[in-house]
Each structure stands twice: as structure tokens, then as C-alpha cells.
């Protein structure tokens, strides 16, 4: 269904989402007009609420295809849904024969010159605000988005982002018949770290864990704080044996960490459970998490500081 020119904040499901949109609107309107040389699409719904795309170049194709300049994993969006063409001072939006239509300000369009603040809708649910702003305000938009999807302590993605991203990756895997794997890891005897060295040192251990583990992953891998001292890694186009190799690499890197406390130098280890869709009786997020979680606890049962990816 097409949207109105300006989204009603009362229709946004969560207070957090409404806060992001209110701040984003204030940021957009605060940029001096003469300095606005950046063209942005800001997502205003769903799992990617607040995500910022900087428009560059003479033409950007938007669609579900992997080759699209702006790739959107949503079943209501066509493979090549619409394009943005650079005009004189602004971008022009053109529908590319999409199945579910392209809308600006609630009106279906074949071609429309965009102006600052326009609401773009692709298909039934995907929505963006087109914003013309400056470099400082672009940075603020990006900061607001990052703050909404990351864990405040470790800067890994947060649990809410994990839940929505896993659902999105599952839909992608089904649509493309592609493998998808999940690793769940837990810090061994973490209570003893807190008891022996204090919670501040325990927090620093988690920060250090993320700092050394994340560079060992691909750009497209999703590293999240799942809860407490537990983390999860979503691996697109990866089978369970490949996931086990990634998990073993992560285990080894974390095992080499040297952490400082008043009591001296200490280290931590982690146990990891791996699962892929082929390991599951049903192709659901719950099933994938359940299998990975079961294998994590097998790793702990068999002595910790190890990877389990079968059984």
C-alpha cells in the first residue's frame, strides 16, 4: 500500500524506532541549505531502519539482484526494481517495470524528479527518505544508525539486529537455495573472571574478544552480542564444515588474548557450536539457533575451549 508524504511516527511499532526517526528528521532540517551537497537514501522502516546510503555516480539501480547498485533483500522488490539517474541538481527516480510498483509521496510513478524530504516506497513495504544534506549531517545520520544496531559495550551488533538480520539471511538462503550457517560462542567460566578480577575487567575482556575476533571474519559476516558473554556469527553462503573452520580460527585467536588485571595477566577461552540449514529438521531461525546452541553445550560438556559442529 502506498504511503503518505510524511510517515506518521505514531504508526512506528517501537519507541526506539520513533526516536531514531525523530532525530533523523531534526538532523536533516538543521543542515544549512548552501552546504547541502550529499544525496542520501535513509531507510525508514524494518530491520534496516535508519541505514544510510550515499548516492554517487550518474546511475544507481535498486533491486533484489546481487548486481544492483543498491541491493535490497525483500521479496516485494523486483530484481531490477528502479533506478536513480543524476539530473540537474537532484536525482530522478525511474521505475524499471517492477511487479509491485514504485511510489513517491504515496503516488505511483514511472519517473519522478526527487526533492529533499521525498518518501520513496518500493513495493509493499520498503521505504526510504530522500535527503539532500552536508557531510557533517551525513556523519550524524550514520552515527544514529550505528547507535541503534550496535551493543553499547562491545560495538558488536546487538540482539535485536541479530534477530532481524537472521530472518533476512534465511529468506535469502531459501530464495537462492544457498547455504547458511550460524556459530554461537560462549566465554568459558566467565563468572570466575568477574569474581576474580571484577566486572570492569570482565567487560574489558568482552571488548577485547570482539576487537580480535571481528577482523578474522568477512565483511558480509554478521558478528553479534547474543546475550551476556555469548556471541553469534551469521555466515552467508557457508556450509557447516566451512563454519567449523571459521569457528576454529576464532577459538584460536581468542585463546591467544592476554588480558591485564591487578592480579596479573590472564587469558580466556571460548566454546563454540556450529550449525547450518542442512543440519535442521525445519528451515527456521529457531531451528538453526537450537542446533547451534545444542552443539555449544556439547562443547562445554566435553571440556570447553573447543568447536562442535556435528551431533
Amino acid at each position: 500500500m502506498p504511503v503518505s508524504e510524511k510517515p506518521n511516527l505514531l504508526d512506528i511499532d517501537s519507541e526506539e524506532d520513533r526516536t531514531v526517526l525523530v532525530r533523523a528528521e531534526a538532523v536533516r532540517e538543521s543542515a544549512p541549505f548552501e552546504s547541502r551537497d550529499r544525496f542520501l537514501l535513509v531507510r525508514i522502516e524494518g530491520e534496516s531502519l535508519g541505514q544510510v546510503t550515499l548516492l554517487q555516480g550518474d546511475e544507481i539501480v535498486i533491486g533484489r539482484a546481487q548486481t544492483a547498485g543498491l541491493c535490497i533483500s525483500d521479496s516485494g522488490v523486483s530484481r531490477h526494481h528502479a533506478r536513480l539517474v543524476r539530473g540537474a541538481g537532484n536525482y530522478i527516480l525511474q521505475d524499471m517495470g517492477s511487479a509491485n510498483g514504485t511510489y513517491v509521496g504515496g503516488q505511483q510513478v514511472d519517473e519522478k524528479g526527487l526533492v529533499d524530504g521525498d518518501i520513496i516506497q518500493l513495493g509493499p513495504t520498503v521505504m526510504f527518505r530522500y535527503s539532500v544534506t552536508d557531510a557533517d549531517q551525513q556523519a550524524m545520520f550514520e552515527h544514529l544508525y550505528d547507535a541503534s544496531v550496535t551493543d553499547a559495550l562491545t560495538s558488536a551488533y546487538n540482539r535485536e539486529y541479530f534477530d532481524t538480520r537472521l530472518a533476512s539471511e534465511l529468506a535469502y538462503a531459501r530464495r537462492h537455495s544457498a547455504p547458511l550457517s550460524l556459530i554461537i560462542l560462549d566465554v568459558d567460566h566467565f563468572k570466575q573472571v568477574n569474581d576474580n578480577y571484577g566486572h570492569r575487567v570482565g567487560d574489558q575482556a568482552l571488548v577485547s574478544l570482539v576487537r580480535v575476533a571481528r577482523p578474522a571474519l568477512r565483511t558480509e559476516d554478521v558478528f553479534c552480542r547474543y546475550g551476556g558473554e555469548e556471541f553469534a556469527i551469521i555466515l552467508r553462503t557457508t556450509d557447516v564444515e566451512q563454519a567449523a573452520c571459521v569457528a576454529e580460527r576464532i577459538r584460536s585467536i581468542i585463546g591467544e588474548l592476554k588480558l591485564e588485571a591487578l592480579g596479573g595477566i590472564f587469558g580466556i577461552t571460548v566454546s563454540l557450536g556450529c550449525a547450518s540449514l542442512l543440519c535442521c529438521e525445519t528451515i527456521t531461525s529457531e531451528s538453526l539457533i537450537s542446533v547451534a546452541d545444542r552443539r555449544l553445550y556439547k562443547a562445554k560438556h566435553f571440556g570447553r575451549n573447543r568447536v562442535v559442529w556435528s551431533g
Side-chain angles (χ1 to χ4, degrees), residues 192-211:
Q192 293 181 14
V193 174
N194 284 329
D195 290 346
N196 293 338
Y197 303 107
H199 287 275
R200 288 187 64 182
V201 173
D203 286 349
Q204 188 54 50
L206 298 180
V207 172
S208 297
L209 180 156
V210 174
R211 175 176 54 81

Side-chain angles (χ1 to χ4, degrees), residues 6-299:
K6 191 168 185 176
N8 183 352
L9 297 181
L10 296 178
D11 293 335
I12 304 299
D13 289 339
S14 75
E15 183 63 34
E16 180 180 1
D17 289 354
R18 284 195 293 272
T19 300
V20 170
L21 290 182
V22 167
R23 288 177 178 174
E25 179 67 13
V27 166
R28 184 184 72 84
E29 293 181 350
S30 68
F33 181 80
E34 62 275 9
S35 66
R36 297 181 183 184
D37 59 354
R38 304 297 175 97
F39 302 91
L40 311 176
L41 289 184
V42 182
R43 193 82 176 258
I44 59 172
E45 48 66 43
E47 68 186 55
S48 299
L49 178 78
Q51 188 172 37
V52 178
T53 299
L54 173 64
L55 302 179
Q56 296 177 299
D58 294 331
E59 181 177 315
I60 303 102
V61 173
I62 307 172
R64 215 176 60 241
Q66 287 288 290
T67 54
L70 176 53
C71 183
I72 301 173
S73 181
D74 186 282
S75 59
V77 173
S78 298
R79 286 179 54 78
H80 299 96
H81 194 104
R83 67 165 63 92
L84 287 162
V85 178
R86 185 69 178 267
N90 261 309
Y91 275 88
I92 300 166
L93 179 66
Q94 299 174 342
D95 186 79
M96 297 177 68
S98 65
N100 293 316
T102 298
Y103 301 84
V104 176
Q107 300 297 314
Q108 188 167 2
V109 299
D110 292 321
E111 180 172 304
K112 176 75 162 61
L114 298 175
V115 296
D116 182 36
D118 272 345
I119 302 299
I120 299 169
Q121 181 176 336
L122 307 176
T125 59
V126 175
M127 294 165 57
F128 296 92
R129 181 188 295 279
Y130 175 74
S131 290
V132 183
T133 188
D134 62 16
D136 289 340
Q137 303 306 326
Q138 177 191 343
M140 182 61 71
F141 273 124
E142 291 168 345
H143 172 74
L144 288 172
Y145 175 68
D146 288 344
S148 73
V149 299
T150 56
D151 173 58
L153 173 65
T154 65
S155 295
Y157 286 115
N158 59 29
R159 175 62 184 272
E160 292 76 14
Y161 184 82
F162 168 81
D163 289 338
T164 53
R165 183 62 182 268
L166 182 58
S168 176
E169 293 295 338
L170 189 65
Y172 176 92
R174 283 172 172 159
R175 187 163 58 247
H176 297 278
S177 299
L180 176 69
S181 290
L182 175 68
I183 300 170
I184 298 181
L185 68 91
D186 187 78
V187 180
D188 298 327
H189 301 300
F190 189 69
K191 184 178 184 301
Q192 293 181 14
V193 174
N194 284 329
D195 290 346
N196 293 338
Y197 303 107
H199 287 275
R200 288 187 64 182
V201 173
D203 286 349
Q204 188 54 50
L206 298 180
V207 172
S208 297
L209 180 156
V210 174
R211 175 176 54 81
V212 299
R214 192 154 48 186
L217 300 170
R218 303 171 301 179
T219 303
E220 63 266 32
D221 297 332
V222 183
F223 190 65
C224 306
R225 188 178 184 189
Y226 192 65
E229 65 272 20
E230 203 166 41
F231 295 83
I233 305 169
I234 304 171
L235 302 168
R236 178 185 277 195
T237 62
T238 303
D239 64 30
V240 72
E241 292 187 16
Q242 293 168 325
C245 291
V246 174
E248 183 57 40
R249 183 165 68 247
I250 296 296
R251 186 199 65 79
S252 177
I253 290 170
I254 293 171
E256 294 174 357
L257 257 179
K258 302 301 179 185
L259 301 162
E260 294 184 10
L262 290 177
I265 304 296
F266 72 100
I268 57 174
T269 63
V270 292
S271 300
L272 307 96
C274 308
S276 75
L277 292 180
L278 292 179
C279 305
C280 303
E281 292 184 2
T282 58
I283 303 178
T284 63
S285 299
E286 293 77 13
S287 182
L288 188 61
I289 292 169
S290 177
V291 174
D293 207 40
R294 185 179 74 238
R295 290 173 177 171
L296 165 64
Y297 281 95
K298 284 185 67 176

